[in-house]
Amino acid sequence: MTDPARQVPFARDQSAAVRAAVAEFARSRAVPENRTRDMVTAVHEVVVNAVRFGGGNGVLHLWSEPDHVICEVTDAGSRARAPAFPGHLPPEPRAPRAHGMWVVRQLSDLVTEQFGPEGSAVRMYFRR
C-alpha cells in the first residue's frame, strides 16, 4: 500500500527544515537509522542544487511504498543547461564542483531525473 505524499515547500536558507522533515518521515516509516542518514544527505544535495540552479525554491515530495521510501525534489526549472547524465560517472577528485549528483547516486538505490527550463524533478528511491 502506498502512503499519501507529504509535500515540503522549500526556498533558500531552509535546508535544515528539509533535512528535519526527511528524517522525521523516514523514522515514522521505521527506516533504519543508517538509511535515514543516507536519505537526509541525498535529499539535501538535491535541494541545494534546486535552490542554486532551479530558481531558488522547490517542493520536496515524500511517500512510501511497501519496499521503498521515495523522495522527489521538483523546482521551476532553469535556463542553465543540465549536464548529460549527471552523477553517472565519478567526478574528477579535485574538481571544485559536480560531486553532488554522484553522492546522491551512491546513497540511493535508484535515481531518476528530468531537467528542463519549465521544471526539473529528481526522484530518489531508498529500500527500507
Side-chain angles (χ1 to χ4, degrees):
M1 187 163 124
T2 302
D3 283 344
R6 176 172 177 207
Q7 295 184 5
V8 182
F10 63 85
R12 199 169 310 279
D13 298 325
Q14 294 179 329
S15 61
V18 171
R19 290 191 305 270
V22 172
E24 180 275 322
F25 187 85
R27 290 179 185 126
S28 73
R29 268 100 185 137
V31 173
E33 193 60 31
N34 64 328
R35 286 309 278 161
T36 296
R37 285 190 301 271
D38 291 347
M39 288 174 61
V40 169
T41 302
V43 169
H44 172 79
E45 287 293 333
V46 176
V47 165
V48 168
N49 283 346
V51 168
R52 182 177 293 150
F53 303 114
N57 58 51
V59 179
L60 167 64
H61 308 266
L62 301 163
W63 70 96
S64 64
E65 295 179 351
D67 296 329
H68 294 89
V69 173
I70 298 109
C71 307
E72 182 177 73
V73 175
T74 59
D75 62 48
S78 171
R79 296 191 193 278
R81 185 169 172 240
F85 309 110
H88 285 275
L89 297 173
E92 291 297 322
R94 296 179 191 243
R97 294 186 191 178
H99 293 85
M101 285 302 292
W102 171 253
V103 169
V104 169
R105 289 188 190 284
Q106 300 311 300
L107 296 175
S108 306
D109 292 299
L110 175 67
V111 177
T112 63
E113 76 280 325
Q114 293 181 328
F115 299 112
E118 294 83 32
S120 299
V122 176
R123 184 176 291 180
M124 298 155 278
Y125 292 80
F126 299 89
R127 270 191 211 103
R128 290 180 179 256

